[in-house]
Amino acid sequence: GAGVSQSPSNKVTEKGKDVELRCDPISGHTALYWYRQSLGQGLEFLIYFQGNSAPDKSGLPSDRFSAERTGGSVSTLTIQRTQQEDSAVYLCASSLGGGLSKNIQYFGAGTRLSVL
Amino acid sequence: AQKVTQAQTEISVVEKEDVTLDCVYETRDTTYYLFWYKQPPSGELVFLIRRNSFDEQNEISGRYSWNFQKSTSSFNFTITASQVVDSAVYFCSLFTSGTYKYIFGTGTRLKVLA
């Protein structure tokens, strides 16, 4: 696609429910990143994919968070048994990857998650 | 440890004033990249500029200019003759060859008043 696409744009859920957030990166981009941005805060790194592999999962806050990427393209971030502190904007970014010079990240508009 | 510090949480200026946003970084890697992103109220981060650690040339793009100084580990961003449309949160980011991870500062909220 022309840009990074994230869906849904907004998600309201009840505490304890599972949610899935989707990211469709720019076509041809091999690197994909998930971030979390809490209200008025900076970007918190969650996970990084190179192709379908996740070399760095160090930012996932707990075992309730997981992510996968299939076909080197679409990625899904899943949050199980959501808690109110999970409320935030979840941002996805992609870059060409494959080398240091190909590291400009392009961001999606994010998914705003509200856990009631 | 890698770190990016944007000490200015919020800046307010009147339209047509010049404003400088500060960014100080820490890394032990010799190869790294620095970025600035703009996040308007719509929420989507927009790429503004990238600089690598071997290129200390300053850059000017229209009303925007960037001053990269390795001696002070700073990568400051100046907007000349600010406009209301410049109102946004601006993030500085560091990418290092050692981690392949991007470290973001906490952002500076710029308000340009008409």
Side-chain angles (χ1 to χ4, degrees):
Chain A
V4 178
S5 177
Q6 291 188 247
S7 60
S9 54
N10 280 284
K11 177 71 177 178
V12 181
T13 189
E14 293 180 352
K15 179 181 172 181
K17 300 281 190 183
D18 297 351
V19 295
E20 283 190 356
L21 312 180
R22 177 188 167 105
C23 173
D24 202 342
I26 293 173
S27 178
H29 280 196
T30 63
L32 186 147
Y33 294 76
W34 283 98
Y35 296 90
R36 180 167 70 175
Q37 185 176 28
S38 300
L39 187 62
Q41 301 298 309
L43 276 70
E44 175 190 3
F45 167 82
L46 298 179
I47 188 170
Y48 152 58
F49 286 93
Q50 179 59 47
N52 292 336
S53 301
D56 193 340
K57 304 179 182 180
S58 62
L60 294 177
S62 74
D63 59 7
R64 296 187 296 106
F65 287 72
S66 64
E68 65 174 13
R69 189 179 185 195
T70 55
S73 181
V74 173
S75 176
T76 303
L77 176 69
T78 301
I79 308 174
Q80 295 178 310
R81 305 181 303 281
T82 52
Q83 304 293 314
Q84 288 182 332
E85 60 263 28
D86 299 334
S87 296
V89 176
Y90 290 83
L91 293 167
C92 176
S94 70
S95 68
L96 276 170
L100 290 178
S101 64
K102 303 176 181 177
N103 59 5
I104 296 176
Q105 286 187 308
Y106 296 90
F107 283 81
T111 293
R112 182 175 298 278
L113 175 65
S114 299
V115 182
L116 305 179
Chain B
Q2 333 280 347
K3 188 177 180 182
V4 174
T5 300
Q6 294 181 256
Q8 303 151 308
T9 304
E10 185 168 314
I11 301 175
S12 291
V13 298
V14 177
E15 206 169 19
K16 298 184 184 177
E17 285 186 6
D18 299 348
V19 59
T20 295
L21 309 182
D22 298 333
C23 173
V24 175
Y25 63 93
E26 294 177 28
T27 181
R28 292 183 179 175
D29 283 343
T30 56
T31 301
Y32 54 89
Y33 289 78
L34 295 162
F35 301 81
W36 275 96
Y37 283 88
K38 175 182 180 180
Q39 187 177 39
S42 61
E44 190 167 333
L45 275 81
V46 176
F47 166 76
L48 295 177
I49 190 171
R50 177 184 68 179
R51 260 288 175 267
N52 73 53
S53 51
F54 301 108
D55 182 4
E56 280 192 80
Q57 278 192 355
N58 292 329
E59 180 152 340
I60 298 174
S61 176
R63 296 184 295 107
Y64 295 172
S65 61
W66 290 270
N67 184 339
F68 176 28
Q69 291 195 338
K70 289 177 73 171
S71 60
T72 55
S73 296
S74 65
F75 186 44
N76 296 338
F77 173 29
T78 296
I79 301 175
T80 302
S82 59
Q83 299 177 0
V84 173
V85 293
D86 296 327
S87 297
V89 181
Y90 291 85
F91 289 96
C92 181
S93 176
L94 168 69
F95 174 88
T96 61
S97 60
T99 66
Y100 268 83
K101 188 184 293 188
Y102 299 81
I103 306 298
F104 284 80
T106 51
T108 296
R109 181 178 298 278
L110 174 64
K111 292 183 178 179
V112 181
L113 309 172

